Amino acid sequence: MPPPLFAAAGTIFGFPIIIIPRRNVCFKVSCSTEHHNNQSGVKYDSLRVLEWDKLCQSVASFARTSLGSRATKAQLWSLDQTFQESVRLLQETDAAIRMHDHDSFNLDLTSVDLALVESALKHARRRLPLHANEAVALASLLQFVEALQLSLKAAIKQDSDWYKQFMPLSEMITQLVVNRSIIKLIQQVIDEDGSVKDSASPALRKARDQVRTLERKLHQLMDNIIRNETKEAVLMASSNVDGRWCIRSGNDQPTNFKGLLLSSASGSIIEPFAAVPLNDELQQARASVAKAEADVLSMVTEKIQMDLDDMEKSLRTAIQLDMIYARATYSLSYGGTYPNIFLPEDIDVPLAAQSYRSKDKTSQAPNPKKEWIFYLPRAYHPLLLQQHRQKLSTARKNVRNAAAEIRRRKLQTENMAVKGKAEIDISSLQKQVRALEEAPPVPVDFLISQKTRVLVITGPNTGGKTICLKTIGLAAMMAKSGLHVLSSESAKVPWFDSVFADIGDEQSLSQSLSTFSGHLKQISEIQSKSTSRSLVLLDEVGAGTNPLEGAALGMSLLESFAKSGALLTLATTHHGELKTLKYSNDAFENACMEFDEENLKPTYKILWGVPGRSNAINIAERLGVPGIIVDNARELYGTASAEIDEVIMEMETFKKKFQEHIKESQHYLMLSRDLHEKLLLNRRKLQDLSAQQRYKKMRELSEAAAVARSTLHKKAQQLRMSAMKQSQLSKASNRTLGNNYKHAMAVETELQTTNPSSSSIRVIKQPQSEKITELPKVGDTVHVSSLGKRATVLKVDTHKEEIVVQAGNMKLKLKITEVQR
């Protein structure tokens, strides 16, 4: 016997844990707080500071069933996926997006109550009768699976390549078995509202007819009794108490009928003696109905037990499809792109097949270069993007509600003062909408080369350094968990076995640890747990203590990670000494957050290869700090440091111009590609047009030749008929007729030797021409005896006594003796 579909695994802090089998992999379904309590450790602490739990909740909200939502959270929190499992998860998500775009597939399980299906299969496995609504839910699931299989077959029939395009979902769907007879049986005996039909069995129909008859009799009896109580009739009404029909009286006055007093609180409830036998029969009839319904449901349960394994497999697959649907719908909603993941040791191996969506984009944009180990262009922080969309949606909703309120007040003819206030309110709301539309989240570019092991990011406070760390950490986790990353084009992301992060204030009062100590403890655990496939994110490394000691400790930590630590380490800092590591170690790279000095605010963009510079003194000067203080600060800061900042400023300017030139070159490259494609298209069109013109000319020449041959044959036939008629009319003209006959035969001979493509053919043969005694002139007509044709003189050579003539399509060079006039 196969294992049960769901198995309880105990509770932790009052939260239940449920195990859902899936291809020998178990998902623990629980809430996010339980995960942290259950798996306390540096991995879960890192995901907590990255706010991975919020992202999991956001993705799970796209699932259409409660079981699918819980399973989605569990799958996303399962941190032990192998590289092959991550690839398969991404393939599933991409296949679901393809099905969505195909328009003939429906992976939305809203109409199926998987919880009721689970309960139905539990009852069937325990040999207990199903409830009617459970049977209806089971039929809905089987119909959903059947519809998917029919859609898949139709798509494959249209194009057999779709089976491969939809893998692995096509294999998952085709392996399911649906017993159509069970669907038909459930539909025959149970209504869509979950009630057993009268036609389900003769016994059920008979029992329900008896119930309806008895209830009708009881209604009549109650009406008669109330009608006889003329004085108290207004205060009396029939009532059903525990399945027995009684009379409810509004006062405690005695009645004319006798019966059993069932209750005397706030009036009296009396069952008349006359109704007791009918109520007893009604109870028995209802018991018969319940038994007949149970017999029908038992019969349905027995049929289901015969295919129980296939139905449990269908339920597991439906839960898995709902998880895949949630990941795919999240990607479609937020504009995610397919990430190409790879193992660090396979970085030089060609990337796996890209998403069909990203293939379209790569024709217009450069593919991820081999020199990048992390290629994430224009990436968004998923939670910031979600928050912005929610705020914008709320603001737009407020505008709509305010507009509706104004219309309502106008209809109620409110006074002008109230209306003016309403208009001011909607104007301010509209300004909020415009402000949100004009200030979307800023995407960042992550282009990290293969040789880089440690990236040092500098920049001002609130400049976006921490958001950058979280963005790259969440992108790595999303790619590993089968989610599309939120970037402008297909990304190239290494497969990390773990993502470790030390971000925020980790002061621990319970362990008597300061902020600095809390950071050191976390970093120490990260260093001990990280491997050559890990991603490490360190925020404000070396902060919280003496600047000189903090800088020295930060440099030592980063050099340790670069030498024997994680695959990739990203660290933010304010210590200028950490910027110099790049110039002594090729494993380091610098980047800084751009700062707009004119507006005195960060732009939240990254400048790669440029160390950040200090802006504090310049900002102080712009904010109006007295000049003597600013000058003294610059003097204390040192001339050498000021010169370094000036060099850095020049590097930033050069970097900006360089990026602008890159964008401009990419733009022109795209234009040249478009022009090249247009030229190729026009060339193909010209070739097709030329072929069509040649074919048209050949066809016209063929038709003209056929018409000419037909005309010549008709003329020859007319000459023969004319000669025969003249021979019958007069024997005296035999000689003349003979000559005509010979003349006709000569014409026929000429027809047989004539070129059918000639533009004009002479039918009547000219009399015998005389020999030429003098040279002809250009343009004269002569008779070429060897051809039996007329020709036009094109050229005359008096010395050689030769002429060039054209006869039809032929040009000939002849002696004068070979032609006649």
Side-chain angles (χ1 to χ4, degrees):
M1 180 180 297
L5 188 62
F6 298 94
T11 60
I12 295 180
F13 296 98
F15 295 101
I17 300 179
I18 303 173
I19 305 300
I20 306 176
R22 171 189 178 268
R23 289 194 193 91
N24 300 324
V25 178
C26 292
F27 298 110
K28 293 185 178 181
V29 181
S30 61
C31 68
S32 58
T33 55
E34 178 189 343
H35 287 291
H36 179 59
N37 292 331
N38 186 30
Q39 297 286 348
S40 59
V42 66
K43 287 185 179 181
Y44 287 92
D45 288 341
S46 298
L47 294 184
R48 177 181 56 80
V49 297
L50 290 175
E51 298 178 291
W52 177 246
D53 53 339
K54 295 181 180 179
L55 182 59
C56 293
Q57 180 65 37
S58 176
V59 176
S61 66
F62 286 91
R64 289 295 178 261
T65 67
S66 59
L67 294 183
S69 177
R70 293 201 298 269
T72 300
K73 293 179 188 177
Q75 181 260 312
L76 294 175
W77 272 101
S78 179
L79 306 182
D80 55 352
Q81 295 107 329
T82 63
F83 173 73
Q84 289 74 19
E85 288 174 342
S86 295
V87 171
R88 180 179 177 86
L89 290 171
L90 284 171
Q91 290 173 345
E92 291 173 350
T93 304
D94 202 50
I97 293 176
R98 296 180 191 220
M99 286 186 169
H100 174 273
D101 291 345
H102 193 272
D103 289 333
S104 61
F105 291 87
N106 181 21
L107 295 177
D108 191 334
L109 279 156
T110 304
S111 60
V112 183
D113 192 335
L114 294 183
L116 283 178
V117 175
E118 173 200 359
S119 177
L121 297 180
K122 281 183 178 179
H123 288 156
R125 179 64 69 184
R126 297 171 184 172
R127 301 186 181 279
L128 298 175
L130 272 68
H131 298 301
N133 57 349
E134 294 174 347
V136 171
L138 182 58
S140 298
L141 172 63
L142 297 179
Q143 287 176 308
F144 172 81
V145 173
E146 185 181 38
L148 274 182
Q149 291 179 337
L150 291 175
S151 298
L152 181 60
K153 289 179 181 177
I156 294 173
K157 186 177 181 181
Q158 181 184 6
D159 185 355
S160 59
D161 190 53
W162 280 120
Y163 184 86
K164 184 179 179 181
Q165 296 290 325
F166 294 147
M167 282 292 289
L169 297 192
S170 52
E171 180 183 10
M172 189 187 307
I173 293 170
T174 52
Q175 288 179 350
L176 299 178
V177 178
V178 177
N179 190 339
R180 180 64 191 171
S181 62
I182 291 180
I183 300 176
K184 188 176 180 180
L185 174 63
I186 294 174
Q187 290 176 339
Q188 285 177 344
V189 300
I190 302 175
D191 272 325
E192 293 182 357
D193 61 356
S195 60
V196 182
K197 295 182 179 179
D198 290 354
S199 59
S201 72
L204 179 59
R205 182 186 294 277
K206 180 179 179 182
R208 284 184 174 170
D209 289 341
Q210 185 179 4
V211 168
R212 284 190 286 266
T213 301
L214 291 170
E215 286 182 340
R216 188 169 53 253
K217 290 180 179 180
L218 282 167
H219 276 297
Q220 293 175 353
L221 176 61
M222 297 299 167
D223 289 342
N224 292 333
I225 294 175
I226 293 173
R227 213 175 288 118
N228 292 334
E229 297 289 327
T230 55
K231 294 182 181 180
E232 308 294 336
V234 178
L235 301 176
M236 291 185 179
S238 58
S239 177
N240 192 315
V241 179
D242 296 332
R244 302 182 72 86
W245 285 99
C246 308
I247 294 178
R248 186 186 298 273
S249 175
N251 53 34
D252 297 330
Q253 297 295 326
T255 58
N256 294 330
F257 65 90
K258 296 182 180 181
L260 301 174
L261 181 62
L262 302 181
S263 174
S264 59
S266 64
S268 58
I269 300 176
I270 302 173
E271 180 180 1
F273 286 138
V276 171
L278 291 175
N279 274 328
D280 291 341
E281 291 183 36
L282 180 60
Q283 295 286 66
Q284 294 175 0
R286 284 176 175 163
S288 300
V289 168
K291 183 179 182 306
E293 289 178 347
D295 291 341
V296 171
L297 294 174
S298 296
M299 179 268 295
V300 173
T301 304
E302 291 177 1
K303 295 289 185 182
I304 291 172
Q305 286 172 341
M306 298 173 63
D307 297 308
L308 191 57
D309 294 341
D310 291 335
M311 293 182 188
E312 288 179 341
K313 183 177 181 180
S314 295
L315 176 58
R316 288 193 294 269
T317 302
I319 295 173
Q320 188 177 356
L321 287 175
D322 201 22
M323 290 191 294
I324 298 170
Y325 176 85
R327 300 199 303 267
T329 310
Y330 177 84
S331 175
L332 290 169
S333 177
Y334 288 97
T337 56
Y338 187 92
N340 288 290
I341 61 173
F342 61 94
L343 290 172
E345 55 267 28
D346 298 336
I347 190 168
D348 293 327
V349 177
L351 296 177
Q354 295 180 345
S355 163
Y356 80 109
R357 287 173 174 257
S358 63
K359 287 178 182 176
D360 296 337
K361 296 178 182 178
T362 53
S363 63
Q364 298 180 354
N367 287 326
K369 307 296 183 184
K370 283 188 175 182
E371 62 264 23
W372 306 122
I373 191 174
F374 207 115
Y375 181 84
L376 198 64
R378 292 184 59 81
Y380 288 94
H381 188 291
L383 297 179
L384 283 183
L385 189 61
Q386 176 186 346
Q387 184 182 31
H388 178 265
R389 288 192 177 186
Q390 289 174 347
K391 288 182 178 178
L392 186 58
S393 176
T394 302
R396 288 172 175 169
K397 184 179 179 181
N398 291 338
V399 170
R400 291 194 298 270
N401 292 339
E405 179 66 15
I406 290 174
R407 289 193 298 269
R408 186 184 67 82
R409 292 184 179 184
K410 284 182 178 179
L411 292 175
Q412 294 178 353
T413 63
E414 292 283 340
N415 57 60
M416 294 301 295
V418 176
K419 285 169 52 176
K421 183 178 179 180
E423 290 174 0
I424 293 173
D425 288 341
I426 194 171
S427 176
S428 63
L429 293 174
Q430 290 172 342
K431 288 181 180 178
Q432 292 179 8
V433 172
R434 286 194 296 271
L436 288 170
E437 290 175 342
E438 294 171 359
V442 179
V444 292
D445 297 314
F446 291 99
L447 311 174
I448 304 176
S449 63
Q450 290 186 24
K451 65 179 182 180
T452 301
R453 296 291 300 278
V454 178
L455 175 66
V456 178
I457 304 176
T458 54
N461 290 326
T462 69
K465 300 190 302 296
T466 304
I467 293 297
C468 287
L469 292 184
K470 290 186 176 182
T471 300
I472 202 168
L474 291 175
M477 284 300 301
M478 291 170 72
K480 180 181 179 181
S481 303
L483 291 168
H484 285 189
V485 295
L486 305 188
S487 64
S488 61
E489 58 185 80
S490 184
K492 181 180 177 183
V493 182
W495 183 86
F496 297 105
D497 58 1
S498 300
V499 176
F500 298 101
D502 175 46
I503 299 174
D505 186 0
E506 293 300 320
Q507 184 174 10
S508 176
L509 297 178
S510 61
Q511 299 183 24
S512 300
L513 296 176
S514 65
T515 300
F516 179 73
S517 301
H519 281 295
L520 283 183
K521 182 176 182 298
Q522 181 80 351
I523 293 174
S524 177
E525 291 183 8
I526 289 174
Q527 194 166 30
S528 64
K529 297 290 178 64
S530 62
T531 69
S532 59
R533 290 183 177 179
S534 300
L535 172 65
V536 175
L537 308 172
L538 304 177
D539 190 27
E540 299 295 351
V541 62
T545 186
N546 179 276
L548 293 178
E549 289 184 338
L553 185 59
M555 293 176 68
S556 178
L557 283 171
L558 295 183
E559 287 178 339
S560 174
F561 277 111
K563 183 177 180 180
S564 59
L567 170 66
L568 184 62
T569 300
L570 276 71
T572 67
T573 184
H574 282 291
H575 294 303
E577 292 81 357
L578 272 63
K579 308 173 191 177
T580 63
L581 291 171
K582 172 186 176 179
Y583 307 106
S584 60
N585 191 335
D586 291 338
F588 283 79
E589 181 58 272
N590 285 330
C592 69
M593 304 306 298
E594 187 181 40
F595 187 82
D596 186 355
E597 291 188 5
E598 293 184 2
N599 297 315
L600 299 179
K601 63 180 182 179
T603 64
Y604 305 107
K605 296 180 180 178
I606 298 181
L607 297 177
W608 292 93
V610 178
R613 59 188 176 87
S614 174
N615 295 289
I617 298 177
N618 294 333
I619 292 174
E621 184 178 18
R622 288 178 180 272
L623 291 177
V625 176
I628 187 172
I629 298 177
V630 173
D631 294 338
N632 188 30
R634 285 199 175 104
E635 191 174 330
L636 293 173
Y637 185 58
T639 305
S641 299
E643 291 177 352
I644 292 174
D645 284 345
E646 187 176 349
V647 171
I648 293 174
M649 182 185 297
E650 292 177 355
M651 291 177 63
E652 291 178 359
T653 304
F654 173 77
K655 196 77 174 181
K656 287 181 182 178
K657 291 182 179 179
F658 180 69
Q659 293 294 336
E660 290 174 358
H661 289 318
I662 289 178
K663 291 181 180 179
E664 187 177 1
S665 63
Q666 289 177 346
H667 174 68
Y668 286 125
L669 178 61
M670 291 173 60
L671 290 178
S672 63
R673 286 179 177 175
D674 292 340
L675 290 174
H676 179 65
E677 291 178 359
K678 290 178 180 178
L679 287 174
L680 291 177
L681 180 62
N682 291 332
R683 180 183 176 185
R684 286 194 296 269
K685 288 182 178 179
L686 287 174
Q687 291 175 346
D688 294 341
L689 181 61
S690 177
Q692 291 174 3
Q693 291 294 333
R694 286 197 302 271
Y695 174 75
K696 182 179 180 181
K697 287 292 184 184
M698 291 175 62
R699 186 176 61 187
E700 290 176 352
L701 290 172
S702 177
E703 292 175 354
V707 171
R709 284 195 298 270
S710 176
T711 304
L712 289 173
H713 283 298
K714 288 180 181 180
K715 290 291 184 180
Q717 189 175 7
Q718 288 174 2
L719 288 173
R720 290 194 196 98
M721 295 298 295
S722 177
M724 291 175 63
K725 288 179 180 179
Q726 290 180 7
S727 65
Q728 294 175 358
L729 292 174
S730 176
K731 292 181 179 180
S733 59
N734 286 336
R735 186 176 180 178
T736 305
L737 291 174
N739 291 334
N740 289 337
Y741 181 73
K742 290 178 180 180
H743 180 65
M745 293 302 294
V747 172
E748 185 177 4
T749 303
E750 184 181 357
L751 288 172
Q752 295 175 355
T753 60
T754 300
N755 188 352
S757 63
S758 300
S759 61
S760 63
I761 301 176
R762 301 284 295 182
V763 178
I764 301 175
K765 189 172 184 180
Q766 298 293 331
Q768 184 71 22
S769 302
E770 298 178 357
K771 294 285 185 177
I772 293 179
T773 58
E774 58 182 15
L775 291 174
K777 298 179 181 179
V778 176
D780 289 350
T781 301
V782 297
H783 179 76
V784 182
S785 56
S786 60
L787 296 178
K789 290 185 177 182
R790 290 186 179 189
T792 302
V793 178
L794 300 178
K795 185 178 180 182
V796 179
D797 190 343
T798 56
H799 298 287
K800 297 182 180 179
E801 293 187 349
E802 293 179 345
I803 60 175
V804 177
V805 298
Q806 181 167 359
N809 293 333
M810 296 184 295
K811 288 183 179 181
L812 302 173
K813 190 175 184 181
L814 303 171
K815 293 288 185 180
I816 295 176
T817 56
E818 296 178 0
V819 300
Q820 299 172 347
R821 287 189 182 279

